[in-house]
Amino acid sequence: MVKFIDMISERVSSAFEKAGYEKKFASVTISNRPDLCQFQCNGAMMAAKQYKCAPVKIAGDVVGM
């Protein structure tokens, strides 16, 4: 049986790769703010340092995939 978080992680990882970023940034975790969402991915924040790019641009690129 596949866990829901694993399915999300697979899709996010694929989106990061298609957008041209390393999939190591695609870590999905259970949210530390359950009042806002169930899962989160902070990869755009981490990738921004490496790619010297605004996190919002990285997030937009990934969402567009």
Side-chain angles (χ1 to χ4, degrees):
M1 180 175 188
V2 179
K3 293 181 182 177
F4 188 65
I5 194 168
D6 293 336
M7 292 186 328
I8 294 171
S9 294
E10 185 178 312
R11 287 190 180 220
V12 172
S13 179
S14 175
F16 265 84
E17 281 190 309
K18 287 179 184 176
Y21 304 105
E22 294 179 54
K23 69 179 188 176
K24 71 179 183 180
F25 297 112
S27 176
V28 176
T29 60
I30 295 175
S31 178
N32 59 1
R33 291 285 313 268
D35 56 316
L36 298 176
C37 60
Q38 292 180 333
F39 304 100
Q40 67 186 48
C41 175
N42 297 329
M45 298 295 285
M46 294 182 291
K49 293 177 185 177
Q50 179 174 323
Y51 292 98
K52 295 178 179 33
C53 184
V56 70
K57 183 198 178 311
I58 293 172
D61 292 345
V62 171
V63 169
M65 294 294 126

